[in-house]
Amino acid sequence: MITVLRLGHRKERDKRVTTHVGLVARAFGANQLLISTKDEALERTLNDVTDRFGGEFQVKTGVKWRKILKNWEGMIVHLTMYGEIIDDILPKIPKKENLMIVVGAEKVPGDVYKMAHFNIAVGNQPHSEVAALAVFLDRVLKGKGLQMDFQGKVRIIPSKKGKKVVEIE
Ligand code: SAM
């Protein structure tokens, strides 16, 4: 079970990036997204994708994230450019455990660095929570997230040219 926690989401300013955090979380193999700020529009957008393209991805917004992190039964990793090098930490992450991945938007509160078992850098350069999450999920799942069959109502048939989409009744 893999959960992504998005901290510091600002409804108007971050709506596109947080949507992309959710889309990447789902498509790369996470099971749920928690967002610190209540945002029903965002929930609807992501649930609509899951409804059409399949899978059992869950979205909850307006969560009490400190309480969730304090009571988390499993490993917590925080993705930050200030962290330790991803390749050094990956072997220390147990395979079958409940994994929580925290990504920020605006400045991440200092206690998150302490609550996380590992602060992990996907390279020590500033870039994006979307990129950091994609690379981390792909590495931790060894590419298997991208091979999942989502059993959706809408399915894309991989094609050399053009777009092939089938709609399952
Ligand atoms: N200025 C913010 C701070 O100091 O926490 C970071 C803003 S950054 C655009 C948003 C998020 O992207 C970060 O909280 C982190 O989760 C992620 N991020 C950006 N660069 C990263 C990197 N090199 N490695 C891991 N995560 C990164």
Coordinates of all heavy atoms in Angstrom, one line a residue, residues 3-9 33-38 60-73 76 78 100-116:
T3 N 0.9 5.4 -0.1 CA 0.1 6.7 0.1 C 1.0 7.8 -0.2 O 2.2 7.9 0.2 CB -0.4 6.8 1.5 OG1 -1.3 5.7 1.8 CG2 -1.2 8.1 1.8
V4 N 0.4 8.8 -0.9 CA 1.2 10.1 -1.2 C 0.5 11.2 -0.4 O -0.7 11.3 -0.4 CB 1.2 10.4 -2.7 CG1 1.9 11.8 -2.9 CG2 1.9 9.3 -3.5
L5 N 1.2 11.9 0.3 CA 0.7 13.1 1.1 C 1.3 14.4 0.5 O 2.5 14.6 0.4 CB 1.1 13.0 2.6 CG 0.8 14.2 3.4 CD1 -0.7 14.5 3.6 CD2 1.4 14.0 4.9
R6 N 0.3 15.2 0.0 CA 0.7 16.5 -0.6 C 0.5 17.6 0.4 O -0.7 17.8 0.8 CB -0.2 16.7 -1.8 CG -0.2 18.1 -2.4 CD 1.0 18.5 -3.1 NE 0.7 19.5 -4.1 CZ 1.7 20.2 -4.6 NH1 2.9 20.1 -4.1 NH2 1.4 21.1 -5.5
L7 N 1.5 18.3 0.9 CA 1.4 19.3 1.9 C 1.4 20.7 1.2 O 2.1 20.9 0.2 CB 2.6 19.2 2.9 CG 2.7 18.0 3.8 CD1 3.9 18.1 4.7 CD2 1.4 17.9 4.6
G8 N 0.7 21.6 1.9 CA 0.8 23.0 1.5 C 0.0 23.4 0.2 O 0.3 24.4 -0.4
H9 N -0.9 22.5 -0.2 CA -1.7 22.8 -1.5 C -2.5 24.1 -1.3 O -3.3 24.3 -0.4 CB -2.6 21.6 -1.8 CG -3.6 21.9 -2.8 ND1 -3.4 22.1 -4.1 CD2 -5.0 22.0 -2.7 CE1 -4.5 22.3 -4.8 NE2 -5.5 22.3 -3.9
L33 N -4.0 9.3 -2.4 CA -3.5 10.6 -2.3 C -4.2 11.3 -1.2 O -5.4 11.4 -1.2 CB -3.6 11.4 -3.6 CG -3.3 12.9 -3.5 CD1 -1.8 13.1 -3.3 CD2 -3.7 13.6 -4.8
L34 N -3.4 11.9 -0.2 CA -4.0 12.7 0.8 C -3.5 14.1 0.6 O -2.3 14.3 0.3 CB -3.5 12.2 2.2 CG -3.7 10.7 2.5 CD1 -3.2 10.4 3.9 CD2 -5.2 10.4 2.5
I35 N -4.4 15.1 0.8 CA -4.0 16.5 0.6 C -4.4 17.3 1.8 O -5.5 17.1 2.4 CB -4.7 17.1 -0.7 CG1 -4.3 16.3 -1.9 CG2 -4.4 18.5 -0.9 CD1 -5.1 16.5 -3.1
S36 N -3.5 18.1 2.3 CA -3.7 18.8 3.6 C -4.9 19.8 3.5 O -5.7 19.9 4.4 CB -2.5 19.6 4.0 OG -2.0 20.4 2.9
T37 N -5.1 20.4 2.3 CA -6.2 21.4 2.2 C -7.5 20.8 1.6 O -7.4 19.9 0.7 CB -5.8 22.5 1.1 OG1 -4.4 22.8 1.4 CG2 -6.6 23.7 1.2
K38 N -8.6 21.2 2.1 CA -9.9 20.7 1.6 C -10.1 21.2 0.2 O -9.9 22.4 0.0 CB -11.1 21.1 2.5 CG -12.4 20.5 2.0 CD -12.6 19.1 2.5 CE -13.8 18.4 1.9 NZ -13.7 17.0 1.9
K60 N -8.3 11.8 -0.7 CA -8.9 12.5 0.4 C -8.3 13.9 0.6 O -7.0 14.0 0.7 CB -8.7 11.7 1.7 CG -9.6 10.5 1.8 CD -9.3 9.7 3.1 CE -9.7 8.3 2.9 NZ -8.8 7.4 3.7
T61 N -9.1 14.9 0.7 CA -8.5 16.2 0.9 C -9.0 16.8 2.3 O -9.9 16.2 2.9 CB -9.0 17.2 -0.2 OG1 -10.4 17.5 0.0 CG2 -8.7 16.7 -1.6
G62 N -8.2 17.7 2.8 CA -8.6 18.3 4.1 C -8.2 17.4 5.3 O -9.0 17.3 6.2
V63 N -7.1 16.6 5.1 CA -6.8 15.6 6.2 C -6.0 16.3 7.3 O -5.3 17.3 7.1 CB -6.0 14.4 5.5 CG1 -6.8 13.7 4.5 CG2 -4.6 14.9 5.0
K64 N -6.1 15.7 8.5 CA -5.2 16.1 9.6 C -3.9 15.4 9.5 O -3.6 14.4 10.1 CB -5.9 15.7 10.9 CG -7.2 16.5 11.2 CD -7.7 16.3 12.6 CE -9.0 16.9 13.0 NZ -9.6 17.9 12.2
W65 N -3.0 16.1 8.7 CA -1.8 15.4 8.3 C -0.8 15.1 9.4 O -0.1 14.1 9.4 CB -1.1 16.1 7.1 CG -0.6 17.5 7.4 CD1 -1.3 18.6 7.3 CD2 0.7 17.8 7.9 NE1 -0.5 19.7 7.6 CE2 0.7 19.2 8.0 CE3 1.8 17.1 8.2 CZ2 1.8 19.9 8.5 CZ3 2.9 17.7 8.7 CH2 2.9 19.1 8.8
R66 N -0.7 16.0 10.4 CA 0.2 15.7 11.5 C -0.1 14.5 12.3 O 0.7 13.7 12.6 CB 0.3 16.9 12.4 CG 1.3 18.0 12.0 CD 1.7 18.9 13.1 NE 2.8 19.8 12.6 CZ 2.5 20.9 11.9 NH1 1.3 21.3 11.7 NH2 3.5 21.6 11.5
K67 N -1.5 14.4 12.5 CA -2.0 13.2 13.3 C -1.7 11.9 12.4 O -1.3 10.9 13.0 CB -3.5 13.4 13.5 CG -4.1 12.6 14.5 CD -5.5 13.0 14.8 CE -6.2 11.8 15.5 NZ -7.7 12.0 15.5
I68 N -2.0 12.0 11.1 CA -1.8 10.9 10.3 C -0.3 10.5 10.3 O 0.0 9.3 10.4 CB -2.2 11.2 8.8 CG1 -3.7 11.3 8.8 CG2 -1.8 10.1 7.8 CD1 -4.3 11.8 7.5
L69 N 0.6 11.4 10.2 CA 2.0 11.1 10.2 C 2.5 10.5 11.5 O 3.2 9.5 11.6 CB 2.9 12.3 9.8 CG 2.9 12.8 8.4 CD1 3.9 13.9 8.2 CD2 3.2 11.7 7.4
K70 N 1.9 11.1 12.6 CA 2.3 10.6 14.0 C 1.9 9.2 14.2 O 2.5 8.4 14.8 CB 1.7 11.5 15.0 CG 2.6 12.7 15.4 CD 2.1 13.5 16.5 CE 2.9 14.8 16.5 NZ 2.0 16.0 16.8
N71 N 0.7 8.8 13.6 CA 0.1 7.5 13.9 C 0.4 6.5 12.8 O -0.1 5.4 12.8 CB -1.4 7.6 14.1 CG -1.8 8.4 15.3 OD1 -1.1 8.4 16.3 ND2 -2.9 9.1 15.2
W72 N 1.2 6.9 11.8 CA 1.4 6.1 10.6 C 2.2 4.8 11.0 O 3.2 4.8 11.6 CB 2.3 6.8 9.6 CG 2.3 6.1 8.3 CD1 3.4 5.5 7.7 CD2 1.3 6.0 7.3 NE1 3.1 4.9 6.5 CE2 1.7 5.2 6.2 CE3 -0.1 6.4 7.3 CZ2 0.9 4.9 5.1 CZ3 -0.9 6.1 6.2 CH2 -0.3 5.4 5.2
E73 N 1.5 3.7 10.6 CA 2.2 2.4 10.8 C 2.9 1.9 9.5 O 2.3 1.3 8.7 CB 1.1 1.3 11.2 CG 0.6 1.6 12.6 CD -0.5 0.7 13.1 OE1 -0.7 -0.3 12.4 OE2 -1.1 0.9 14.1
I76 N 7.8 6.3 6.5 CA 7.5 7.7 5.9 C 8.7 8.2 5.2 O 9.8 8.3 5.9 CB 7.1 8.6 7.0 CG1 5.9 8.1 7.8 CG2 6.8 10.0 6.5 CD1 5.5 9.0 9.0
H78 N 10.1 11.5 2.9 CA 9.8 12.9 2.5 C 10.8 13.2 1.3 O 12.0 13.1 1.5 CB 10.0 13.8 3.7 CG 10.0 15.3 3.3 ND1 10.9 16.2 3.9 CD2 9.3 16.0 2.5 CE1 10.7 17.4 3.4 NE2 9.7 17.3 2.5
M100 N 4.5 5.7 3.1 CA 3.9 7.1 3.0 C 5.0 8.0 2.3 O 6.2 8.0 2.8 CB 3.6 7.6 4.4 CG 3.4 9.1 4.4 SD 1.8 9.6 3.7 CE 0.7 9.2 5.1
I101 N 4.6 8.6 1.2 CA 5.6 9.5 0.5 C 5.0 10.9 0.7 O 3.9 11.2 0.2 CB 5.6 9.2 -1.0 CG1 6.0 7.7 -1.2 CG2 6.6 10.0 -1.7 CD1 5.8 7.2 -2.6
V102 N 5.8 11.8 1.2 CA 5.4 13.2 1.4 C 6.1 14.1 0.4 O 7.3 14.0 0.2 CB 5.8 13.7 2.9 CG1 5.2 15.1 3.1 CG2 5.3 12.7 3.9
V103 N 5.2 14.9 -0.3 CA 5.8 16.0 -1.2 C 5.2 17.3 -0.8 O 4.1 17.4 -0.3 CB 5.5 15.7 -2.7 CG1 6.2 14.5 -3.1 CG2 4.0 15.6 -3.0
G104 N 6.0 18.4 -1.0 CA 5.5 19.7 -0.6 C 5.0 20.5 -1.8 O 5.0 20.1 -2.9
A105 N 4.6 21.7 -1.4 CA 4.2 22.7 -2.4 C 5.0 24.0 -2.1 O 6.0 24.2 -2.6 CB 2.7 23.0 -2.4
E106 N 4.4 24.7 -1.1 CA 5.2 25.8 -0.5 C 6.2 25.2 0.5 O 6.3 24.0 0.6 CB 4.3 26.8 0.1 CG 3.3 26.2 1.1 CD 2.3 27.2 1.7 OE1 2.5 28.4 1.4 OE2 1.5 26.8 2.4
K107 N 6.8 26.1 1.3 CA 7.8 25.6 2.2 C 7.3 24.5 3.2 O 6.2 24.7 3.8 CB 8.3 26.8 3.1 CG 9.6 26.5 3.8 CD 10.1 27.9 4.3 CE 11.5 27.8 4.9 NZ 11.6 26.9 6.1
V108 N 8.0 23.4 3.3 CA 7.5 22.3 4.1 C 7.9 22.6 5.6 O 9.0 22.9 5.9 CB 8.1 21.0 3.6 CG1 7.8 19.8 4.5 CG2 7.6 20.7 2.2
P109 N 6.9 22.4 6.5 CA 7.2 22.7 7.9 C 8.4 21.8 8.4 O 8.5 20.6 8.0 CB 5.9 22.3 8.6 CG 4.8 22.4 7.6 CD 5.5 22.0 6.3
G110 N 9.2 22.4 9.3 CA 10.4 21.7 9.7 C 10.2 20.4 10.4 O 11.0 19.5 10.3
D111 N 9.0 20.2 11.1 CA 8.9 18.9 11.8 C 8.7 17.7 10.9 O 8.9 16.6 11.3 CB 7.7 19.0 12.8 CG 6.4 19.5 12.3 OD1 6.4 20.1 11.2 OD2 5.3 19.3 12.9
V112 N 8.3 18.0 9.6 CA 8.2 16.9 8.6 C 9.5 16.2 8.4 O 9.6 15.0 8.3 CB 7.6 17.5 7.3 CG1 7.6 16.4 6.2 CG2 6.2 18.0 7.5
Y113 N 10.6 17.0 8.4 CA 11.9 16.4 8.3 C 12.2 15.5 9.4 O 13.0 14.5 9.2 CB 13.0 17.5 8.2 CG 12.9 18.4 7.0 CD1 12.0 19.4 6.8 CD2 13.8 18.2 5.9 CE1 11.9 20.1 5.7 CE2 13.8 18.9 4.7 CZ 12.8 19.9 4.6 OH 12.7 20.7 3.5
K114 N 11.7 15.8 10.6 CA 11.9 14.9 11.8 C 11.0 13.7 11.8 O 11.3 12.6 12.2 CB 11.8 15.7 13.1 CG 12.8 16.8 13.2 CD 12.9 17.3 14.6 CE 13.9 18.5 14.6 NZ 13.3 19.8 14.6
M115 N 9.7 13.9 11.3 CA 8.8 12.8 11.4 C 9.1 11.8 10.3 O 8.7 10.6 10.5 CB 7.3 13.4 11.2 CG 6.8 14.0 12.4 SD 5.0 14.3 12.2 CE 5.0 16.0 11.7
A116 N 9.7 12.2 9.2 CA 10.0 11.2 8.2 C 11.2 10.3 8.6 O 12.1 10.7 9.3 CB 10.5 12.0 6.9

